[in-house]
Amino acid sequence: MRLTLSIVCLACCLSLAASFVSAAAEEAGKAEKRVKHEKSWWNRMHPRGETPETQLAYADSLKTAGSFKSALKEYRALVYTWPESPQAPVAQLNYAQLLEQRGKLEEAFNEYQFLIETYPGFFPFQEALERQYNIADKLAGKRRYFLLFKYEAPEEAIPLFEKMIQNGLQWKRSSDLQFRIARLYETTKQYDLAIDAYSLYHQRYPLGPLAEQAFFGQARCTYLYAKLHRNAADLRENAIVRLRGFLEWYPKSDMAAQARRQLQ
């Protein structure tokens, strides 16, 4: 009995010792992080103002004076220092707008996204979405360079379009963006992804202005996908089902004749 009690006491002591060591290690880790925080990027982010109000006024004055690089630094310092202040979403919006103004489009898009996710209800939501849309639209048509060759990669804008749809499923441009995603996949011959994107449009926006085109796009892509894999009987059957389904839903469609030809 005494041996059992001794073992239990020893186990408790070891457990307490382990807890103290763990706590000490955690505190040491926090202290180390604080030291690194103070010695590295924090120095560059240290605000000039004593309060979020004075900091925002100072950053705004730099922006008005045309010192955009310094204004960016001060806006960001405000957000990092007083993230829960009423001035933080204002500073974050101004920060994203300045990045956009300076041509840093992808970075600006991400900062608008941070604003949307972090401060819902504390900024002009429609304005932020419109700015994201303009950025994504520019990136979709942007000419890129590799060595001496020019090329376009509109499909690289798809993740941006998807983020905007997630931000507001019922936003006025969301259905158009979903259809555009499907078209981008189709034009790049990623027919399996295009089928899913067209199908998602029809599920989310069955009464949308492009619902008929989305249904036919879905059927057309199953047909084209089956043609690429002629030995896949399941893909052929799927194409037949989708084309027949389109003709049942929209028998008088302008695209019905094409659907019948593909079905044959």
Side-chain angles (χ1 to χ4, degrees), residues 109 136-137 139-140 144 153-166 177-188 190 193-194 197:
F109 184 96
D137 194 50
L139 291 174
R144 304 169 189 270
E155 67 277 7
E156 292 183 8
I158 288 176
L160 307 185
F161 292 158
E162 290 175 338
K163 281 184 180 180
M164 283 184 285
I165 293 172
Q166 291 170 3
L177 288 173
Q178 184 61 46
F179 189 85
R180 194 169 175 182
I181 289 171
R183 285 290 297 157
L184 286 172
Y185 279 134
E186 183 179 358
T187 54
T188 54
Q190 300 179 73
L193 297 176

Side-chain angles (χ1 to χ4, degrees), residues 213-232:
Q213 293 185 48
F215 203 137
F216 181 66
Q218 181 186 163
R220 179 178 62 241
C221 286
T222 57
Y223 165 76
L224 295 171
Y225 196 44
K227 284 188 68 176
L228 288 178
H229 304 84
R230 292 182 178 276
N231 295 325

Side-chain angles (χ1 to χ4, degrees), residues 108-154:
F109 184 96
N110 292 333
E111 293 300 332
Y112 283 124
Q113 188 64 28
F114 177 80
L115 174 70
I116 290 169
E117 293 175 357
T118 310
Y119 300 107
F122 293 93
F123 63 92
F125 180 65
Q126 297 294 330
E127 179 185 347
L129 281 181
E130 285 292 339
R131 287 184 176 275
Q132 279 193 318
Y133 177 81
N134 291 334
I135 290 172
D137 194 50
K138 288 178 182 177
L139 291 174
K142 183 180 179 181
R143 288 194 172 184
R144 304 169 189 270
Y145 296 88
F146 178 73
L147 298 178
L148 300 177
F149 300 96
K150 294 180 182 179
Y151 71 99
E152 292 184 1

Side-chain angles (χ1 to χ4, degrees), residues 28-44:
K30 289 179 180 178
E32 184 180 358
K33 286 180 182 178
R34 281 197 294 270
V35 170
K36 289 181 179 178
H37 183 274
E38 291 168 0
K39 288 185 176 179
S40 58
W41 63 267
W42 177 247
N43 288 332
R44 298 192 296 273

Side-chain angles (χ1 to χ4, degrees), residues 2-14:
R2 290 181 180 177
L3 179 60
T4 303
L5 288 172
S6 299
I7 292 173
V8 171
C9 291
L10 179 60
C12 291
C13 291
L14 289 174

Side-chain angles (χ1 to χ4, degrees), residues 46-59 74 77 81-82:
H46 193 69
R48 295 290 185 91
E50 295 294 329
T51 65
E53 292 86 354
T54 57
Q55 178 65 16
L56 181 60
Y58 177 62
E74 298 303 329
T81 309
W82 298 285

Side-chain angles (χ1 to χ4, degrees), residues 20-21 49 52 54 61 67 70 72 104 116 131 160 172 181 183 188 232 245 260:
F20 285 128
V21 170
T54 57
S61 68
S67 301
S70 297
L72 283 169
K104 298 183 178 182
I116 290 169
R131 287 184 176 275
L160 307 185
K172 62 181 181 179
I181 289 171
R183 285 290 297 157
T188 54
R260 291 190 185 93

